[in-house]
Amino acid sequence: MSFGLSTSPTQLIQFPKNPKSLILDQCKTIRDLRQIHGHLIKTRLLHHPAVAEPMLESAALLLPVPAIDYAFSIFAHLENPDSSAYNVMIRAFTKAQNPESSIFLFRKMIENSVHPDEFTFPSILKACSQVGALREGEQVHAQILKLVDGFGRRGFVENAMVHLYATCGRLELAHQLFDRRSERSVIAWNSMICGYARHGYWTEVVELFGEILGMGVGFNQVTLINVLMACGRLGDLELGEWIYEYALVNGLMKDVSLVTSLIDMYAKCGKVDAARGLFDQLCTRDVIAWSAMINGYMQSSRFKEALALFLDMQNANVEPNEVTMVTVLSSCAALGALETGRWAHSYIKKKNLKLSINLGTTLLDFYAKCGCVNSAIEVFNDMPSRNVWSWTALIQGLANSGRGDTALEFYHSMLQEKAIKLKPVRPNLLRIYM
DNA sequence: GTAGGGTTAG
């Protein structure tokens, strides 16, 4: 049997001194991996942890195109996977944005009495943050506390915990952990700021940034982006412009995300033309930058400019997304631009954009406002899921078009949907019919 | 073998 590789298989049978670097050197493609894998099965060497772990790492993390399924099939055949085998798989699933699988494996790990360690925690906590799995995260926290002492990288684990609690909205708890830390890095500060921003505590975001400046702690683009989001919502143009100056002086204006946040901040503070100035200076404009600028016009009631910019966007061959279409359709609704809106609708179909609650509601609201209630009803029926706002937009549209009877029918069907019934929709309806 | 980001109406 020929491996076509520099090391002969017999060296593996004799158990190499350093199997890890041997395997990592040899597995450059999935083909290499399959060959070595086959050989390791025959010789049963695969069940040796020092061999299994690098095999998993090669497949799940190091290949140019990671083969997680392949890695998992290796993992699933191991007789007694040890903690490092679990760690590699958990890390790989988290990295591949498949946190459910990470959490599943973590549970298995505990069930099988394999002890998680300092390398398990950051990635499993990140997985919990990705899905907002607070309860699962608390169990991880409990496991961490079990290891009274004797684990290194405490800083990484603590950062991950602050991040988990902040993302899940347990901001007091996150802050307690954060305050207790001996050394608070940019990472921890950003976790706190992101947590406050994500949950709409804009004043706290600005306060925290004030602390950062006061204490002379470091900050970076991510910090500034979150603070700019707050400036826009709070109308704090002064701080927003301070950040703009800072970005100019420090050469940060090449960062599209940061400039997009500046555009959004200026637009939300009523300075749409300043926003446009920055937009025109951007050398690469992605869908989010375009959407932010179009949205800026819309929020300033400059609907025609919003639609004109949407045309420019298409000429620039940038594909719009759900957010873009929401903005475009609400501009059409405001202008009563039925034809353009219809065109947007066919565009959504052509591009197979998912009719999310946001998009569907905006679309039906557009039809209703243009007096096409039947189209509005059609869209409503096509939506895979709806919320109170979808119902309200439809019922209000019907009522405004003199179709009070149909509006009432929909109102009653809404009440029949259990989930909806629990939400306070009644006052809204009373306003329409009183 | 660590983390984090920008756009969404009614």
Side-chain angles (χ1 to χ4, degrees):
Chain A
M1 185 159 120
S2 163
F3 274 52
L5 299 165
S6 55
T7 312
S8 82
T10 47
Q11 278 176 272
L12 282 173
I13 294 169
Q14 287 160 358
F15 210 84
K17 279 196 192 107
N18 192 344
K20 180 157 179 149
S21 59
L22 193 65
I23 290 172
L24 296 187
D25 281 349
Q26 291 189 356
C27 297
K28 299 294 188 207
T29 69
I30 185 85
R31 279 191 58 192
D32 304 338
L33 204 75
R34 283 183 201 281
Q35 281 186 329
I36 294 178
H37 183 201
H39 177 72
L40 292 173
I41 291 174
K42 277 183 202 153
T43 53
R44 290 194 56 79
L45 274 174
L46 191 58
H47 294 285
H48 196 292
V51 172
E53 196 255 347
M55 280 298 287
L56 294 173
E57 191 175 346
S58 300
L61 289 159
L62 299 177
L63 284 183
V65 183
I68 301 190
D69 292 345
Y70 188 75
F72 188 69
S73 71
I74 298 178
F75 176 85
H77 285 96
L78 294 178
E79 281 162 5
N80 292 305
D82 67 351
S83 59
S84 51
Y86 274 101
N87 288 348
V88 171
M89 289 312 303
I90 290 175
R91 188 152 51 95
F93 279 127
T94 302
K95 197 176 168 198
Q97 309 269 31
N98 184 350
E100 291 85 1
S101 298
S102 301
I103 292 172
F104 171 80
L105 274 187
F106 183 74
R107 285 198 194 123
K108 285 280 162 217
M109 192 175 185
I110 305 293
E111 271 171 39
N112 295 331
S113 308
V114 179
H115 297 298
D117 59 24
E118 71 224 65
F119 295 115
T120 324
F121 299 131
S123 39
I124 187 62
L125 286 170
K126 186 178 174 183
C128 294
S129 308
Q130 283 173 354
V131 276
L134 184 58
R135 188 168 292 185
E136 206 68 42
E138 284 168 344
Q139 286 173 15
V140 179
H141 194 162
Q143 294 286 336
I144 293 170
L145 294 177
K146 269 193 201 166
L147 302 176
V148 187
D149 47 29
F151 81 98
R153 296 166 194 279
R154 190 170 287 279
F156 293 175
V157 177
E158 284 173 346
N159 280 346
M161 293 212 302
V162 170
H163 183 241
L164 169 81
Y165 286 123
T167 320
C168 293
R170 299 290 306 275
L171 292 154
E172 340 68 40
L173 191 49
H175 216 124
Q176 282 172 16
L177 290 174
F178 175 72
D179 285 341
R180 238 185 274 150
R181 300 214 43 194
S182 47
E183 180 197 355
R184 297 184 295 189
S185 62
V186 188
I187 296 173
W189 280 98
N190 281 353
S191 289
M192 282 311 305
I193 285 202
C194 292
Y196 280 119
R198 179 189 276 236
H199 294 90
Y201 293 102
W202 305 114
T203 315
E204 285 78 357
V205 170
V206 172
E207 280 172 7
L208 224 50
F209 186 58
E211 270 186 62
I212 289 181
L213 293 181
M215 295 171 65
V217 195
F219 58 88
N220 60 19
Q221 285 101 314
V222 178
T223 328
L224 295 178
I225 286 169
N226 281 285
V227 180
L228 283 170
M229 289 160 63
C231 293
R233 267 74 174 188
L234 298 169
D236 191 340
L237 184 60
E238 198 184 336
L239 179 55
E241 293 201 302
W242 183 88
I243 294 177
Y244 175 44
E245 294 294 326
Y246 180 91
L248 272 178
V249 173
N250 292 280
L252 299 179
M253 295 300 283
K254 286 208 165 62
D255 187 320
V256 186
S257 300
L258 183 69
V259 177
T260 303
S261 296
L262 281 167
I263 290 171
D264 181 59
M265 179 279 295
Y266 272 116
K268 285 196 167 65
C269 291
K271 304 275 182 191
V272 204
D273 295 312
R276 181 61 191 259
L278 289 177
F279 178 79
D280 287 337
Q281 283 170 41
L282 269 179
C283 36
T284 49
R285 306 182 185 104
D286 62 9
V287 55
I288 303 183
W290 283 98
S291 306
M293 192 60 236
I294 296 173
N295 182 57
Y297 281 126
M298 194 214 54
Q299 287 185 339
S300 311
S301 304
R302 287 162 65 168
F303 307 111
K304 286 188 179 162
E305 281 152 292
L307 293 183
L309 196 64
F310 177 59
L311 266 183
D312 292 344
M313 175 177 178
Q314 291 188 284
N315 290 330
N317 283 321
V318 179
E319 293 266 315
N321 63 13
E322 179 199 329
V323 178
T324 328
M325 297 317 285
V326 165
T327 306
V328 166
L329 279 165
S330 29
S331 303
C332 292
L335 285 172
L338 183 57
E339 281 318 305
T340 313
R342 274 201 180 124
W343 176 86
H345 188 184
S346 59
Y347 188 88
I348 289 166
K349 285 185 187 159
K350 194 174 83 186
K351 294 285 171 186
N352 268 327
L353 283 181
K354 191 179 152 255
L355 209 56
S356 65
I357 294 183
N358 280 345
L359 187 53
T361 305
T362 312
L363 184 59
L364 82 83
D365 183 63
F366 153 76
Y367 276 125
K369 285 194 171 133
C370 288
C372 306
V373 270
N374 290 332
S375 304
I377 296 173
E378 254 175 60
V379 172
F380 182 84
N381 289 330
D382 283 349
M383 288 171 64
S385 55
R386 315 167 180 106
N387 64 11
V388 188
W389 293 109
S390 327
W391 287 92
T392 308
L394 181 68
I395 294 171
Q396 187 142 25
L398 287 164
N400 288 341
S401 316
R403 301 262 301 264
D405 47 341
T406 325
L408 271 179
E409 281 170 28
F410 273 99
Y411 172 57
H412 289 301
S413 8
M414 175 178 75
L415 292 185
Q416 278 164 11
E417 291 211 4
K418 258 192 189 167
I420 305 279
K421 222 192 276 183
L422 299 172
K423 299 189 176 166
V425 287
R426 225 165 249 278
N428 243 336
L429 260 295
L430 283 178
R431 191 165 51 80
I432 297 172
Y433 289 104
M434 292 289 271

